[in-house]
Amino acid sequence: MTTSRPSLRFLGATRTVTGSRFLVETGDSRVLVDCGLFQGLRELRRRNWAEFPIPPESIDAVVLSHAHIDHSGYLPALVRQGFRGPVYCSPDTAALSKILLTDSAHLQEEEARYANKKGYSKHSPALPLYTDADAQDAIELLAPQPFDTTFPLAPGIEGHLRWAGHILGSASIALDVDGRNGGRRAFFSGDVGRPEHPILEPPSPPPDADVMLIESTYGDRRHATDDDDLEELAQVISTTAKRGGMVLIPAFAVDRTEVVLDALHRLEESGRIPELPIYVDSPMALDVLGLYRRALGNGHAGVRAEVAARDPFDTSRVTECRSVQDSMSLASLSYPSIIISASGMATGGRVLHHLRRLLPDPLNAVILSGFQVDGTRGRRLADGERTVKMFGSYVPVRAEVHQLESFSVHADLPELCDWLALAPGEPDLCYLIHGSERASNAMRDAVDERFGWTAVVPRPMERVLL
Ligand SMILES: [Zn+2]
């Protein structure tokens, strides 16, 4: 076995955005890069329940690019099925994962409880994909590693993390495989941040690598410019406030809440929006905000120096809503206000209660703040559907709905290509992953055209030699 060539298997985020999981195997070792949940359409979510294609206990180590659930959220399930190895990641990813995996377990448990109560599961009783105990077991395995420092992952496999500028702690991952047989380097972009992220430093350039796996979430798109989106945000808020309505911003708990607060801060400072009360209604988002605040205060290398100098999250009237009572009290607000609440794609969380209350009234506005996965309520709202279903019944959509893409923390096609152009050498193969089939295909064509690299959109579960 020891002479067999190292291989790579695409276990997820292949012709789809979520479920990031890639297996690197040598004769001696198995390393899983990312361990994400499939999210969105039911058919995708069902894949989380499929038997893992190899025995989880046979995996030596996991390495996580970042804490987003589509990259980390399967970890407790892997542990539940017997994985016991270390989970390497950056220190901030470890800190964020503690918050996100705990929350994810609660959502899984809640979903199972709800299914049992409503009797809609085919299984009786419905079980959660994993429990809080599984999440805590997974958290115990987190093994933080600094950026730009080589560390051993498994016999014959070394890795290092590179700053990816997508969210706090996010990394691209380079794996050096099987050095004694000449060695191959595989590079996993993870999610790549935008060069103009308002808070975080831009991503480090890609290294020289034999094989690259590059995300293509926005592989077929170009973001509106930040200025256009800021202008739209200012207009929506101003006109909604003028007519006495409420502004609801569903926002991902990690990074998006920070980016939105920063934008509101800048608009308020420059007098482009009135000073309105702002409520951040998500305990998880507030925990994450605490980590961002600490990073700003500590002179974190990933935070833009000019941002650390001001407090971008402090607008004149921000209220933190932690308790359920705090959240419920927002229902009786009678003056124009801004509510920021999770989840960002309206798949669950407190934002649903606000949507149910605010969507039927044309005075109000809902501002979606980033990528909306197919099959989510956020996607349906962005697509202009006139009703959305929540809590078992239909709610009419009469509020204004806007989607602002520059709040995305993913690079778009031109930004991804400009970033790839910084690679010092040409890979033998460039695989486009983490995108819809259309987005990945578009980016494959762009990479082929601009760089002349051999670019491939792999098939789910496909295995290739490294
Ligand atoms: Zn991400």
Side-chain angles (χ1 to χ4, degrees):
M1 277 298 278
T2 47
T3 54
S4 63
R5 286 259 317 264
S7 69
L8 169 68
R9 224 173 139 191
F10 300 89
L11 303 184
T14 305
R15 303 193 182 198
T16 189
V17 172
T18 60
S20 184
R21 305 171 193 174
F22 307 98
L23 183 70
V24 172
E25 284 181 285
T26 70
D28 307 315
S29 308
R30 279 177 165 162
V31 168
L32 186 65
V33 177
D34 276 348
C35 190
L37 266 195
F38 287 101
Q39 295 173 303
L41 297 170
R42 185 189 304 265
E43 158 222 326
L44 281 170
R45 282 181 282 134
R46 253 208 306 266
R47 291 192 202 169
N48 294 320
W49 293 88
E51 193 184 344
F52 200 74
I54 55 162
E57 67 273 16
S58 72
I59 299 170
D60 296 280
V62 172
V63 55
L64 297 181
S65 62
H66 64 293
H68 274 151
I69 287 298
D70 61 324
H71 293 256
S72 70
Y74 188 74
L75 200 56
L78 198 73
V79 171
R80 189 185 176 99
Q81 296 167 77
F83 171 71
R84 288 291 176 271
V87 178
Y88 297 108
C89 61
S90 75
D92 287 317
T93 294
L96 285 167
S97 295
K98 286 178 195 167
I99 300 171
L100 268 69
L101 292 179
T102 302
D103 178 77
S104 180
H106 291 162
L107 289 177
Q108 301 293 340
E109 290 180 343
E110 205 169 276
E111 207 170 282
R113 261 199 305 276
Y114 189 75
N116 285 325
K117 201 166 110 195
K118 298 285 169 183
Y120 71 51
S121 171
K122 279 177 237 148
H123 310 281
S124 182
L127 295 174
L129 181 62
Y130 50 79
T131 64
D132 182 60
D134 299 320
Q136 301 315 316
D137 287 345
I139 288 165
E140 289 286 304
L141 302 176
L142 296 170
Q145 298 293 324
F147 280 94
D148 301 315
T149 305
T150 301
F151 55 92
L153 278 126
I157 303 182
E158 293 185 329
H160 75 265
L161 305 176
R162 301 169 71 88
W163 176 251
H166 166 64
I167 62 171
L168 199 62
S170 66
S172 299
I173 299 165
L175 293 189
D176 288 305
V177 181
D178 224 1
R180 67 172 182 276
N181 292 330
R184 299 283 287 169
R185 174 176 282 173
F187 175 65
F188 302 80
S189 73
D191 287 355
V192 180
R194 308 190 60 194
E196 301 299 331
H197 190 293
I199 299 163
L200 302 178
E201 287 285 348
S204 298
D208 211 5
D210 300 299
V211 172
M212 289 190 180
L213 283 79
I214 307 296
E215 73 127 324
S216 53
T217 314
Y218 282 108
D220 57 347
R221 263 176 282 182
R222 208 175 264 273
H223 294 313
T225 67
D226 291 359
D227 288 347
D228 290 350
D229 270 3
L230 263 189
E231 187 49 43
E232 191 178 344
L233 180 66
Q235 260 173 25
V236 177
I237 291 173
S238 301
T239 53
T240 306
K242 216 171 278 175
R243 64 174 181 246
M246 308 284 288
V247 176
L248 174 62
I249 308 180
F252 300 93
V254 185
D255 200 84
R256 205 67 45 86
T257 299
E258 287 73 20
V259 170
V260 168
L261 282 174
D262 169 67
L264 295 175
H265 183 70
R266 283 186 284 154
L267 290 176
E268 209 179 85
E269 294 259 283
S270 56
R272 291 161 77 187
I273 57 170
E275 286 189 7
L276 299 175
I278 298 171
Y279 298 90
V280 179
D281 183 22
S282 157
M284 179 164 66
L286 290 169
D287 287 344
V288 173
L289 186 59
L291 289 180
Y292 269 76
R293 281 198 168 120
R294 206 177 325 151
L296 253 63
N298 291 348
H300 191 291
V303 172
R304 289 177 185 270
E306 74 271 17
V307 177
R310 58 190 175 101
D311 183 353
F313 310 135
D314 174 37
T315 82
S316 60
R317 278 177 276 179
V318 176
T319 303
E320 302 191 351
C321 301
R322 283 198 180 266
S323 70
V324 173
Q325 282 74 14
D326 291 344
S327 179
M328 284 165 64
S329 70
L330 299 182
S332 55
L333 292 177
S334 53
Y335 38 84
S337 309
I338 299 170
I339 300 174
I340 303 170
S341 188
S343 76
M345 296 188 285
T347 48
R350 292 181 179 179
V351 77
L352 294 186
H353 298 278
H354 300 306
L355 283 168
R356 178 166 62 175
R357 194 177 74 252
L358 299 175
L359 277 176
D361 187 342
L363 287 182
N364 300 325
V366 174
I367 302 172
L368 299 162
S369 59
F371 191 81
Q372 304 293 319
V373 169
D374 282 343
T376 61
R377 286 189 196 87
R379 177 81 256 157
R380 285 194 281 275
L381 285 171
D383 288 344
E385 290 199 12
R386 303 309 299 157
T387 56
V388 281
K389 196 172 183 185
M390 54 186 83
F391 303 114
S393 77
Y394 283 94
V395 175
V397 181
R398 303 212 174 89
E400 270 182 50
V401 176
H402 297 260
Q403 186 179 19
L404 301 186
E405 282 197 352
S406 76
F407 285 110
S408 170
V409 286
H410 285 273
D412 64 6
L413 177 64
E415 290 167 346
L416 280 167
C417 285
D418 288 349
W419 175 73
L420 276 180
L422 303 173
E426 182 178 333
D428 296 341
L429 268 161
C430 178
Y431 294 103
L432 285 317
I433 44 103
H434 203 281
S436 68
E437 200 161 342
R438 202 180 68 177
S440 295
N441 285 341
M443 188 157 161
R444 174 200 57 205
D445 295 346
V447 166
D448 179 47
E449 208 169 287
R450 176 157 169 188
F451 305 112
W453 296 352
T454 306
V456 173
V457 179
R459 290 188 307 278
M461 306 307 284
E462 186 174 355
R463 183 169 176 270
V464 295
L465 293 179
L466 256 190

